[in-house]
Structure formats: structure tokens, C-alpha cells
Amino acid sequence: SYELTQPPSVSVSPGQTARITCSGDALPKKYAYWYQQKSGQAPVLVIYEDSKRPSGIPERFSGSSSGTMATLTISGAQVEDEADYYCYSTDSGSDQSVFGTGTKVTVL
Amino acid sequence: QVQLQESGPGLVKPSGTLSLTCAVSGDSISSNNWWSWVRQPPGKGLEWIGEIYHSGSTNYNPSLKSRVTISVDKSKNQFSLNLSSVTAADTAVYYCVKGFDLWGRGTLVTVSS
């Protein structure tokens, strides 16, 4: 079955840039989506279609995709950005969707 | 304002069937969206279960496909999840999702005797 691989954790100091990668064979053909999940809460969409930002999401969140890797960048990370982040996409050969393994971002 | 609300039993016995409903308010279930179910076991990551379009077209996670049925009820503006032959491994918070961007608050379902 299709898999999306993320690093388990990323740690940055406040004001630094955090980059979270998501690797998947179908990413050259399929969009990546990124979700932020804070403890005890439902996930929130922060990036859709590789690089678009929903209304209400701070500009410090950006996304990109190249080849088999998508990247979520938090420029000038804030303490309130501490959360788990998941990428999401679809297999190119089927209609199977999948979430990435998840990355815990620590800002301290 | 569009809202999704999951409902159903919080406790299901092993080998039984887990049944949840997602009530949609502020939008029509017949709008141009896919409606999905996602789950998250305690302390673990998100798992996509499957999705349905108002026409009845469905897509399922291959690892769950033999046990999952997702259906839509246009008259009640809601969609449902049935997961059969459950075990403790199916204990999770279950979320319903509209498209990519709107999630319900989630409901915890525990599988235990």
C-alpha cells in the first residue's frame, strides 16, 4: 500500500525556520496537503494543493513540492506552532488516500 | 457556518460492528465534495478510512476495505460509517471530514468487552 514518510520530530528555537518533509512516490503527480494538530484537537488544514494557504492561516506557513518530496516550511516559528504535522496525498495508481507518518514540531 | 457532528456508541464489543453517523449542517451533502472518515488511535497518527460522494461513489483504505461501508443519506443530510468485526485495534477517535478542510470534533470509540 502507498506510504508517505515524514521525520518523527523537528525542533527549532522561536524565530527560526522549521522545515518538515514528506516523501512519497506519487507526489510528482499528486498534490500534497498539510495538517496541523494540536493536543486534544482536530486537525487543521494549513496548506492545500502543495503550496496554497487557506484563509486565516498565518503567512509564515508555506509549502512546496519537488519530485517525490513535499515540504512544509514555518518561517519564524512561534511557540504556538508547536504541534503534530501530517502530510496527506493520494496514490497515483488508485483512489487510495493516505496520511504521512506525522512530525512533532517543538519550538523552544 | 458549516458544521460536522459525529455521533454513535462510545463502546463497542469485540467482533461487533462500529456504527457512526456524521450530521452535516450549513451545507448540503449533495454539494460538490467528498465526505470522509479518518481515525486516530490513542497516541498514534491519522489513518484515512474512506470517502463517499453524494452519488454513492466510494473509495476505501485497502487495509480496511473488507470491513468498511460508508453510506450517505440525502434525506437526513448525513453520512455514515460501518466497521465490522472490530477488535481492540479499532479503538480510536473517529473524525468525519468535508473535502479537505472541515473536520468534525471527533468521537472516541472504544472496543472492549
Side-chain angles (χ1 to χ4, degrees):
Chain A
S1 63
Y2 186 47
E3 295 181 349
L4 295 173
T5 302
Q6 300 179 232
S9 63
V10 168
S11 185
V12 295
S13 299
Q16 289 189 328
T17 296
R19 292 183 179 85
I20 306 162
T21 58
C22 173
S23 177
D25 290 340
L27 289 178
K29 296 182 180 180
K30 295 292 186 177
Y31 285 127
Y33 299 76
W34 290 93
Y35 293 93
Q36 175 194 68
Q37 186 181 33
K38 296 183 178 180
S39 180
Q41 299 182 18
V44 172
L45 182 70
V46 294
I47 293 291
Y48 67 100
E49 294 180 2
D50 290 345
S51 60
K52 299 177 181 177
R53 195 172 52 250
S55 62
I57 300 301
E59 292 184 4
R60 62 180 179 273
F61 289 89
S62 63
S64 63
S65 187
S66 178
T68 60
M69 186 168 290
T71 302
L72 173 69
T73 301
I74 310 174
S75 303
Q78 305 297 308
V79 172
E80 61 262 33
D81 299 331
E82 277 204 347
D84 294 323
Y85 290 83
Y86 295 91
C87 59
Y88 171 90
S89 189
T90 305
D91 190 2
S92 61
S94 70
D95 291 316
Q96 175 198 348
S97 294
V98 65
F99 286 93
T101 49
T103 300
K104 182 176 182 61
V105 171
T106 302
V107 183
L108 49 70
Chain B
Q1 181 183 3
V2 183
Q3 291 186 322
L4 306 179
Q5 180 64 59
E6 304 91 348
S7 62
L11 181 64
V12 181
K13 293 185 184 305
S15 78
T17 296
L18 181 160
S19 296
L20 296 174
T21 296
C22 180
V24 180
S25 58
D27 192 9
S28 169
I29 197 81
S30 297
S31 62
N32 187 27
N33 289 288
W34 285 87
W35 305 88
S36 306
W37 287 97
V38 175
R39 70 180 183 179
Q40 185 170 37
K44 296 188 177 181
L46 301 170
E47 181 178 29
W48 179 76
I49 298 172
E51 62 187 0
I52 190 165
Y53 197 69
H54 62 78
S55 63
S57 295
T58 54
N59 297 304
Y60 296 131
N61 184 327
S63 69
L64 299 171
K65 188 173 184 176
S66 64
R67 300 193 291 130
V68 171
T69 302
I70 298 176
S71 59
V72 65
D73 187 335
K74 295 180 186 179
S75 67
K76 295 183 178 179
N77 212 43
Q78 63 186 32
F79 64 109
S80 300
L81 168 70
N82 278 358
L83 180 66
S84 63
S85 304
V86 297
T87 69
D90 295 309
T91 293
V93 174
Y94 286 76
Y95 296 97
C96 57
V97 188
K98 171 197 168 185
F100 295 102
D101 60 343
L102 186 65
W103 294 58
R105 297 181 67 177
T107 186
L108 175 63
V109 179
T110 301
V111 178
S112 175
S113 56

